[in-house]
Amino acid sequence: MLYKIDEQECMIPIRMDEICDLMFKKYPEFVDIVYGTEEPDEYSFDSPSATVSVSQLIDATDQLLDRFKNDKELKPYRYVFDCDHYMIKGGDNLTGIRIGENNRCYKIQCGINECKLIEGIIDENGRLLKYGEEIDIRDRQIIETNNVYKELRIRKTKAQSPIVTDLKKLKKFLEQFSGEQMVLKIMV
């Protein structure tokens, strides 16, 4: 999203992750002011845009920042793994993990409120065909492997959503202007 006041601009990404989705559902009145645009005329090639006053935008930004501070649902856990053998600290994705008596192949995928092993389906020539069953491993602390990774340690951290940083950047940009000035919001 591009915010434009006079000749000055501020670009803020719209991060479409599950935290953003939750924010959109729970606080649509503030999200619409900060991120909302109007659809362009069907014959126009213009990007969707809208205008709002600086004071309205600052107020909505403050309201969303307050929600991030006080709403526990908007403070997710971020899962990562460590692997001392390969000096991986805080990894979020790794393929080729061999686990169990059958030496099955998996990949680990971590992120916001997510930590799972995904089974790899291998053909008779040893090539990966596709990924299959997903196993939620958020309750595990250690994954023992049969290959060079040896041991993966799972940990979770309370992570601030990157949306908070974006909203703070927007607020800092807006504070340069008077409350009655209009902001042009353009979806880019």
PDB file of all heavy atoms in Angstrom, residues 1 14 24 32 35-51 184-188:
ATOM      1  N   MET A   1       0.854  -1.173   0.000  1.00  0.00           N
ATOM      2  CA  MET A   1       0.000   0.000   0.000  1.00  0.00           C
ATOM      3  C   MET A   1       0.897   1.232   0.000  1.00  0.00           C
ATOM      4  O   MET A   1       1.838   1.308   0.790  1.00  0.00           O
ATOM      5  CB  MET A   1      -0.881  -0.034   1.249  1.00  0.00           C
ATOM      6  CG  MET A   1      -1.812   1.130   1.384  1.00  0.00           C
ATOM      7  SD  MET A   1      -3.213   1.105   0.284  1.00  0.00           S
ATOM      8  CE  MET A   1      -4.185  -0.197   0.965  1.00  0.00           C
ATOM      9  N   ILE A  14       1.235  -5.078   2.604  1.00  0.00           N
ATOM     10  CA  ILE A  14       0.119  -5.760   3.244  1.00  0.00           C
ATOM     11  C   ILE A  14       0.557  -7.207   3.374  1.00  0.00           C
ATOM     12  O   ILE A  14       0.732  -7.904   2.387  1.00  0.00           O
ATOM     13  CB  ILE A  14      -1.177  -5.646   2.423  1.00  0.00           C
ATOM     14  CG1 ILE A  14      -1.588  -4.185   2.313  1.00  0.00           C
ATOM     15  CG2 ILE A  14      -2.283  -6.475   3.064  1.00  0.00           C
ATOM     16  CD1 ILE A  14      -2.834  -3.957   1.494  1.00  0.00           C
ATOM     17  N   PHE A  24      -7.939  -8.509  10.068  1.00  0.00           N
ATOM     18  CA  PHE A  24      -8.973  -8.071   9.138  1.00  0.00           C
ATOM     19  C   PHE A  24     -10.362  -8.494   9.629  1.00  0.00           C
ATOM     20  O   PHE A  24     -11.324  -7.743   9.496  1.00  0.00           O
ATOM     21  CB  PHE A  24      -8.718  -8.644   7.741  1.00  0.00           C
ATOM     22  CG  PHE A  24      -7.754  -7.841   6.911  1.00  0.00           C
ATOM     23  CD1 PHE A  24      -6.527  -7.451   7.411  1.00  0.00           C
ATOM     24  CD2 PHE A  24      -8.070  -7.494   5.609  1.00  0.00           C
ATOM     25  CE1 PHE A  24      -5.633  -6.717   6.635  1.00  0.00           C
ATOM     26  CE2 PHE A  24      -7.182  -6.765   4.831  1.00  0.00           C
ATOM     27  CZ  PHE A  24      -5.967  -6.376   5.351  1.00  0.00           C
ATOM     28  N   ASP A  32     -10.151  -1.083   7.474  1.00  0.00           N
ATOM     29  CA  ASP A  32     -10.648  -0.402   6.284  1.00  0.00           C
ATOM     30  C   ASP A  32     -10.057   0.998   6.153  1.00  0.00           C
ATOM     31  O   ASP A  32      -9.697   1.425   5.059  1.00  0.00           O
ATOM     32  CB  ASP A  32     -12.177  -0.334   6.322  1.00  0.00           C
ATOM     33  CG  ASP A  32     -12.729   0.195   5.019  1.00  0.00           C
ATOM     34  OD1 ASP A  32     -12.349  -0.346   3.959  1.00  0.00           O
ATOM     35  OD2 ASP A  32     -13.523   1.158   5.053  1.00  0.00           O
ATOM     36  N   TYR A  35      -6.075   0.241   5.422  1.00  0.00           N
ATOM     37  CA  TYR A  35      -5.729  -0.508   4.210  1.00  0.00           C
ATOM     38  C   TYR A  35      -6.771  -0.454   3.098  1.00  0.00           C
ATOM     39  O   TYR A  35      -6.513  -0.917   1.992  1.00  0.00           O
ATOM     40  CB  TYR A  35      -5.501  -1.983   4.553  1.00  0.00           C
ATOM     41  CG  TYR A  35      -4.354  -2.228   5.477  1.00  0.00           C
ATOM     42  CD1 TYR A  35      -4.570  -2.568   6.810  1.00  0.00           C
ATOM     43  CD2 TYR A  35      -3.038  -2.136   5.027  1.00  0.00           C
ATOM     44  CE1 TYR A  35      -3.514  -2.813   7.668  1.00  0.00           C
ATOM     45  CE2 TYR A  35      -1.972  -2.381   5.882  1.00  0.00           C
ATOM     46  CZ  TYR A  35      -2.218  -2.719   7.198  1.00  0.00           C
ATOM     47  OH  TYR A  35      -1.173  -2.967   8.049  1.00  0.00           O
ATOM     48  N   GLY A  36      -7.965   0.050   3.407  1.00  0.00           N
ATOM     49  CA  GLY A  36      -9.053  -0.016   2.437  1.00  0.00           C
ATOM     50  C   GLY A  36      -8.873   0.900   1.244  1.00  0.00           C
ATOM     51  O   GLY A  36      -8.298   1.984   1.342  1.00  0.00           O
ATOM     52  N   THR A  37      -9.385   0.422   0.121  1.00  0.00           N
ATOM     53  CA  THR A  37      -9.379   1.213  -1.115  1.00  0.00           C
ATOM     54  C   THR A  37     -10.723   1.041  -1.798  1.00  0.00           C
ATOM     55  O   THR A  37     -11.525   0.191  -1.425  1.00  0.00           O
ATOM     56  CB  THR A  37      -8.269   0.749  -2.084  1.00  0.00           C
ATOM     57  OG1 THR A  37      -8.474  -0.627  -2.397  1.00  0.00           O
ATOM     58  CG2 THR A  37      -6.893   0.951  -1.496  1.00  0.00           C
ATOM     59  N   GLU A  38     -10.938   1.840  -2.810  1.00  0.00           N
ATOM     60  CA  GLU A  38     -12.152   1.731  -3.609  1.00  0.00           C
ATOM     61  C   GLU A  38     -11.775   1.116  -4.942  1.00  0.00           C
ATOM     62  O   GLU A  38     -10.708   1.393  -5.486  1.00  0.00           O
ATOM     63  CB  GLU A  38     -12.757   3.120  -3.830  1.00  0.00           C
ATOM     64  CG  GLU A  38     -13.148   3.788  -2.524  1.00  0.00           C
ATOM     65  CD  GLU A  38     -13.358   5.293  -2.672  1.00  0.00           C
ATOM     66  OE1 GLU A  38     -13.184   5.815  -3.790  1.00  0.00           O
ATOM     67  OE2 GLU A  38     -13.684   5.925  -1.667  1.00  0.00           O
ATOM     68  N   GLU A  39     -12.641   0.286  -5.455  1.00  0.00           N
ATOM     69  CA  GLU A  39     -12.365  -0.335  -6.746  1.00  0.00           C
ATOM     70  C   GLU A  39     -12.430   0.734  -7.846  1.00  0.00           C
ATOM     71  O   GLU A  39     -13.299   1.604  -7.828  1.00  0.00           O
ATOM     72  CB  GLU A  39     -13.387  -1.436  -7.047  1.00  0.00           C
ATOM     73  CG  GLU A  39     -13.236  -2.646  -6.158  1.00  0.00           C
ATOM     74  CD  GLU A  39     -11.885  -3.324  -6.292  1.00  0.00           C
ATOM     75  OE1 GLU A  39     -11.390  -3.475  -7.413  1.00  0.00           O
ATOM     76  OE2 GLU A  39     -11.315  -3.703  -5.254  1.00  0.00           O
ATOM     77  N   PRO A  40     -11.505   0.663  -8.802  1.00  0.00           N
ATOM     78  CA  PRO A  40     -11.532   1.647  -9.888  1.00  0.00           C
ATOM     79  C   PRO A  40     -12.687   1.361 -10.849  1.00  0.00           C
ATOM     80  O   PRO A  40     -13.256   0.273 -10.843  1.00  0.00           O
ATOM     81  CB  PRO A  40     -10.183   1.424 -10.585  1.00  0.00           C
ATOM     82  CG  PRO A  40      -9.847   0.000 -10.301  1.00  0.00           C
ATOM     83  CD  PRO A  40     -10.426  -0.292  -8.936  1.00  0.00           C
ATOM     84  N   ASP A  41     -12.997   2.350 -11.645  1.00  0.00           N
ATOM     85  CA  ASP A  41     -13.985   2.198 -12.703  1.00  0.00           C
ATOM     86  C   ASP A  41     -13.555   1.029 -13.588  1.00  0.00           C
ATOM     87  O   ASP A  41     -12.377   0.849 -13.875  1.00  0.00           O
ATOM     88  CB  ASP A  41     -14.015   3.511 -13.505  1.00  0.00           C
ATOM     89  CG  ASP A  41     -15.042   3.483 -14.613  1.00  0.00           C
ATOM     90  OD1 ASP A  41     -14.892   2.647 -15.524  1.00  0.00           O
ATOM     91  OD2 ASP A  41     -15.971   4.298 -14.566  1.00  0.00           O
ATOM     92  N   GLU A  42     -14.520   0.218 -14.048  1.00  0.00           N
ATOM     93  CA  GLU A  42     -14.162  -0.978 -14.823  1.00  0.00           C
ATOM     94  C   GLU A  42     -13.433  -0.652 -16.131  1.00  0.00           C
ATOM     95  O   GLU A  42     -12.775  -1.520 -16.699  1.00  0.00           O
ATOM     96  CB  GLU A  42     -15.389  -1.837 -15.103  1.00  0.00           C
ATOM     97  CG  GLU A  42     -16.414  -1.172 -16.007  1.00  0.00           C
ATOM     98  CD  GLU A  42     -17.618  -2.046 -16.219  1.00  0.00           C
ATOM     99  OE1 GLU A  42     -18.508  -2.033 -15.354  1.00  0.00           O
ATOM    100  OE2 GLU A  42     -17.658  -2.732 -17.258  1.00  0.00           O
ATOM    101  N   TYR A  43     -13.522   0.569 -16.615  1.00  0.00           N
ATOM    102  CA  TYR A  43     -12.858   0.942 -17.859  1.00  0.00           C
ATOM    103  C   TYR A  43     -11.514   1.611 -17.616  1.00  0.00           C
ATOM    104  O   TYR A  43     -10.840   2.018 -18.539  1.00  0.00           O
ATOM    105  CB  TYR A  43     -13.758   1.876 -18.681  1.00  0.00           C
ATOM    106  CG  TYR A  43     -15.063   1.217 -19.023  1.00  0.00           C
ATOM    107  CD1 TYR A  43     -16.234   1.602 -18.390  1.00  0.00           C
ATOM    108  CD2 TYR A  43     -15.108   0.183 -19.952  1.00  0.00           C
ATOM    109  CE1 TYR A  43     -17.437   0.983 -18.694  1.00  0.00           C
ATOM    110  CE2 TYR A  43     -16.303  -0.443 -20.259  1.00  0.00           C
ATOM    111  CZ  TYR A  43     -17.459  -0.041 -19.622  1.00  0.00           C
ATOM    112  OH  TYR A  43     -18.635  -0.666 -19.914  1.00  0.00           O
ATOM    113  N   SER A  44     -11.136   1.715 -16.368  1.00  0.00           N
ATOM    114  CA  SER A  44      -9.901   2.394 -16.012  1.00  0.00           C
ATOM    115  C   SER A  44      -8.804   1.368 -15.703  1.00  0.00           C
ATOM    116  O   SER A  44      -9.069   0.270 -15.248  1.00  0.00           O
ATOM    117  CB  SER A  44     -10.137   3.263 -14.769  1.00  0.00           C
ATOM    118  OG  SER A  44      -8.920   3.734 -14.264  1.00  0.00           O
ATOM    119  N   PHE A  45      -7.587   1.762 -15.948  1.00  0.00           N
ATOM    120  CA  PHE A  45      -6.447   0.909 -15.597  1.00  0.00           C
ATOM    121  C   PHE A  45      -5.793   1.380 -14.304  1.00  0.00           C
ATOM    122  O   PHE A  45      -4.736   0.903 -13.928  1.00  0.00           O
ATOM    123  CB  PHE A  45      -5.405   0.901 -16.727  1.00  0.00           C
ATOM    124  CG  PHE A  45      -5.907   0.224 -17.965  1.00  0.00           C
ATOM    125  CD1 PHE A  45      -6.259   0.961 -19.080  1.00  0.00           C
ATOM    126  CD2 PHE A  45      -6.046  -1.157 -18.002  1.00  0.00           C
ATOM    127  CE1 PHE A  45      -6.722   0.338 -20.227  1.00  0.00           C
ATOM    128  CE2 PHE A  45      -6.513  -1.786 -19.136  1.00  0.00           C
ATOM    129  CZ  PHE A  45      -6.863  -1.046 -20.258  1.00  0.00           C
ATOM    130  N   ASP A  46      -6.431   2.333 -13.627  1.00  0.00           N
ATOM    131  CA  ASP A  46      -5.879   2.850 -12.385  1.00  0.00           C
ATOM    132  C   ASP A  46      -5.935   1.796 -11.291  1.00  0.00           C
ATOM    133  O   ASP A  46      -6.820   0.942 -11.259  1.00  0.00           O
ATOM    134  CB  ASP A  46      -6.664   4.084 -11.919  1.00  0.00           C
ATOM    135  CG  ASP A  46      -6.503   5.260 -12.861  1.00  0.00           C
ATOM    136  OD1 ASP A  46      -5.489   5.301 -13.584  1.00  0.00           O
ATOM    137  OD2 ASP A  46      -7.397   6.122 -12.873  1.00  0.00           O
ATOM    138  N   SER A  47      -4.977   1.891 -10.375  1.00  0.00           N
ATOM    139  CA  SER A  47      -4.979   1.012  -9.210  1.00  0.00           C
ATOM    140  C   SER A  47      -6.081   1.455  -8.260  1.00  0.00           C
ATOM    141  O   SER A  47      -6.430   2.635  -8.212  1.00  0.00           O
ATOM    142  CB  SER A  47      -3.640   1.105  -8.479  1.00  0.00           C
ATOM    143  OG  SER A  47      -2.611   0.619  -9.288  1.00  0.00           O
ATOM    144  N   PRO A  48      -6.629   0.517  -7.490  1.00  0.00           N
ATOM    145  CA  PRO A  48      -7.620   0.916  -6.472  1.00  0.00           C
ATOM    146  C   PRO A  48      -7.003   1.934  -5.519  1.00  0.00           C
ATOM    147  O   PRO A  48      -5.821   1.837  -5.172  1.00  0.00           O
ATOM    148  CB  PRO A  48      -7.911  -0.397  -5.742  1.00  0.00           C
ATOM    149  CG  PRO A  48      -7.520  -1.473  -6.688  1.00  0.00           C
ATOM    150  CD  PRO A  48      -6.388  -0.912  -7.495  1.00  0.00           C
ATOM    151  N   SER A  49      -7.794   2.919  -5.123  1.00  0.00           N
ATOM    152  CA  SER A  49      -7.287   3.962  -4.232  1.00  0.00           C
ATOM    153  C   SER A  49      -8.419   4.506  -3.374  1.00  0.00           C
ATOM    154  O   SER A  49      -9.585   4.199  -3.601  1.00  0.00           O
ATOM    155  CB  SER A  49      -6.653   5.095  -5.047  1.00  0.00           C
ATOM    156  OG  SER A  49      -7.631   5.725  -5.847  1.00  0.00           O
ATOM    157  N   ALA A  50      -8.040   5.299  -2.401  1.00  0.00           N
ATOM    158  CA  ALA A  50      -9.012   5.970  -1.529  1.00  0.00           C
ATOM    159  C   ALA A  50      -8.298   7.121  -0.839  1.00  0.00           C
ATOM    160  O   ALA A  50      -7.064   7.176  -0.804  1.00  0.00           O
ATOM    161  CB  ALA A  50      -9.573   5.001  -0.502  1.00  0.00           C
ATOM    162  N   THR A  51      -9.074   8.040  -0.296  1.00  0.00           N
ATOM    163  CA  THR A  51      -8.483   9.134   0.481  1.00  0.00           C
ATOM    164  C   THR A  51      -9.085   9.126   1.874  1.00  0.00           C
ATOM    165  O   THR A  51     -10.236   8.718   2.077  1.00  0.00           O
ATOM    166  CB  THR A  51      -8.741  10.514  -0.181  1.00  0.00           C
ATOM    167  OG1 THR A  51     -10.139  10.670  -0.366  1.00  0.00           O
ATOM    168  CG2 THR A  51      -8.015  10.626  -1.507  1.00  0.00           C
ATOM    169  N   LEU A 184      -3.702  10.041   0.193  1.00  0.00           N
ATOM    170  CA  LEU A 184      -4.144   9.194  -0.914  1.00  0.00           C
ATOM    171  C   LEU A 184      -3.535   7.813  -0.678  1.00  0.00           C
ATOM    172  O   LEU A 184      -2.324   7.671  -0.576  1.00  0.00           O
ATOM    173  CB  LEU A 184      -3.670   9.762  -2.264  1.00  0.00           C
ATOM    174  CG  LEU A 184      -3.973   8.902  -3.488  1.00  0.00           C
ATOM    175  CD1 LEU A 184      -5.473   8.726  -3.676  1.00  0.00           C
ATOM    176  CD2 LEU A 184      -3.332   9.506  -4.726  1.00  0.00           C
ATOM    177  N   LYS A 185      -4.400   6.800  -0.571  1.00  0.00           N
ATOM    178  CA  LYS A 185      -3.958   5.420  -0.388  1.00  0.00           C
ATOM    179  C   LYS A 185      -4.111   4.707  -1.721  1.00  0.00           C
ATOM    180  O   LYS A 185      -5.202   4.689  -2.288  1.00  0.00           O
ATOM    181  CB  LYS A 185      -4.778   4.705   0.676  1.00  0.00           C
ATOM    182  CG  LYS A 185      -4.777   5.378   2.030  1.00  0.00           C
ATOM    183  CD  LYS A 185      -5.606   4.622   3.046  1.00  0.00           C
ATOM    184  CE  LYS A 185      -7.054   4.566   2.628  1.00  0.00           C
ATOM    185  NZ  LYS A 185      -7.916   3.860   3.566  1.00  0.00           N
ATOM    186  N   ILE A 186      -3.020   4.118  -2.190  1.00  0.00           N
ATOM    187  CA  ILE A 186      -3.048   3.451  -3.479  1.00  0.00           C
ATOM    188  C   ILE A 186      -2.588   2.006  -3.302  1.00  0.00           C
ATOM    189  O   ILE A 186      -1.532   1.746  -2.755  1.00  0.00           O
ATOM    190  CB  ILE A 186      -2.122   4.148  -4.506  1.00  0.00           C
ATOM    191  CG1 ILE A 186      -2.487   5.620  -4.630  1.00  0.00           C
ATOM    192  CG2 ILE A 186      -2.193   3.448  -5.860  1.00  0.00           C
ATOM    193  CD1 ILE A 186      -1.485   6.445  -5.411  1.00  0.00           C
ATOM    194  N   MET A 187      -3.410   1.080  -3.775  1.00  0.00           N
ATOM    195  CA  MET A 187      -3.038  -0.326  -3.736  1.00  0.00           C
ATOM    196  C   MET A 187      -2.031  -0.580  -4.861  1.00  0.00           C
ATOM    197  O   MET A 187      -2.318  -0.326  -6.016  1.00  0.00           O
ATOM    198  CB  MET A 187      -4.268  -1.213  -3.950  1.00  0.00           C
ATOM    199  CG  MET A 187      -3.986  -2.679  -3.911  1.00  0.00           C
ATOM    200  SD  MET A 187      -3.598  -3.285  -2.274  1.00  0.00           S
ATOM    201  CE  MET A 187      -5.210  -3.248  -1.529  1.00  0.00           C
ATOM    202  N   VAL A 188      -0.832  -1.001  -4.478  1.00  0.00           N
ATOM    203  CA  VAL A 188       0.203  -1.279  -5.494  1.00  0.00           C
ATOM    204  C   VAL A 188       0.578  -2.736  -5.480  1.00  0.00           C
ATOM    205  O   VAL A 188       0.319  -3.465  -4.578  1.00  0.00           O
ATOM    206  CB  VAL A 188       1.452  -0.412  -5.287  1.00  0.00           C
ATOM    207  CG1 VAL A 188       1.157   1.012  -5.657  1.00  0.00           C
ATOM    208  CG2 VAL A 188       1.982  -0.502  -3.885  1.00  0.00           C
TER     209      VAL A 188
END
